[in-house]
Amino acid sequence: MRVRKLTFAALAVAAGLSLTACQNDDDAMAQNDPPAASAGSSSGGGKDSAGKGSGGQGTAAGTGSGENGKIGKCRTDDLDISATDSTIDGDTEGTVAVQLKNGGGRDCVLSGYAGVDLKTSAGSLSAERTGEKSTPMTLKDGKSVYFGVTYPINKSGGSGVRVTALVVTPPDETKSFSVEWPGAATLPATDGSGSPVKVGPMGSAGQGD
């Protein structure tokens, strides 16, 4: 009976040593394992090198959307600018319709008045705003908007002031574009008390296309 008890005790000690050895082996293996992926890594749905979520979508190029999805303003280089005579028989004033066509490949925003200057034989003549209310508008790619330029008709019988060109500066831009003047060849001479040429806001002429 004593022999059996000693044998059992020996087996228990051996089992304990074996368990301790297995635990040590497990600890060593755990130390050699690579660290788990931390939150915020590329495999954890964090940000990629472009700074956007790996599961999200960035702004597509050429859509006209800028920061925070806003549509940018229309640039002079994106616009095809032309002008046509829109004077109707019997009008007391001459009218020129200026067309701004968006050819920039993206939608853009226009707001307010364009700058308008007439190049004449007597120097540059700046148009004055009519004062009409202007509402910001989104000009779709390939579409046009028009505004009107009015001027006095030369009925003085004299030679008047010869107009050589129309210079247009889109709203909020500094780069200008010169086009051929399509209106009457001359303006009546003025006493310099104010500009006889008036410019309306975006959308003040024509229907667009």
Side-chain angles (χ1 to χ4, degrees):
M1 190 70 176
R2 181 179 177 84
V3 173
R4 293 181 64 186
K5 287 183 178 179
L6 288 174
T7 301
F8 180 79
L11 290 173
V13 171
L17 292 173
S18 176
L19 179 60
T20 301
C22 289
Q23 289 176 343
N24 289 338
D25 290 342
D26 290 342
D27 291 342
M29 291 177 63
Q31 292 176 1
N32 293 329
D33 287 341
S38 60
S41 69
S42 60
S43 61
K47 293 183 178 181
D48 61 14
S49 60
K52 59 181 181 293
S54 58
Q57 296 180 349
T59 301
T63 61
S65 296
E67 186 178 358
N68 298 324
K70 294 181 180 178
I71 299 177
K73 69 179 181 180
C74 297
R75 302 287 186 178
T76 303
D77 290 339
D78 295 334
L79 299 171
D80 296 322
I81 302 175
S82 58
T84 56
D85 183 13
S86 295
T87 305
I88 299 175
D89 290 341
D91 283 354
T92 58
E93 290 182 312
T95 303
V96 166
V98 180
Q99 177 186 17
L100 277 64
K101 183 175 183 178
N102 184 2
R106 63 181 180 88
D107 298 349
C108 59
V109 173
L110 276 175
S111 178
Y113 288 73
V116 171
D117 295 280
L118 269 60
K119 297 297 183 182
T120 76
S121 56
S124 182
L125 180 63
S126 296
E128 292 183 354
R129 297 178 179 182
T130 60
E132 297 174 68
K133 183 179 179 180
S134 174
T135 302
M137 65 181 67
T138 297
L139 186 59
K140 298 289 186 180
D141 182 39
K143 298 298 182 180
S144 299
V145 66
Y146 300 78
F147 66 87
V149 177
T150 58
Y151 61 94
I153 296 174
N154 184 15
K155 298 179 179 179
S156 64
S159 60
V161 177
R162 184 170 57 87
V163 183
T164 58
L166 172 66
V167 181
V168 178
T169 308
D172 299 320
E173 279 287 87
T174 57
K175 186 175 182 179
S176 301
F177 192 85
S178 181
V179 299
E180 183 178 351
W181 172 250
T186 63
L187 302 178
T190 64
D191 58 7
S193 60
S195 174
V197 182
K198 306 292 182 183
V199 55
M202 291 295 136
S204 60
Q207 298 297 319
D209 57 19

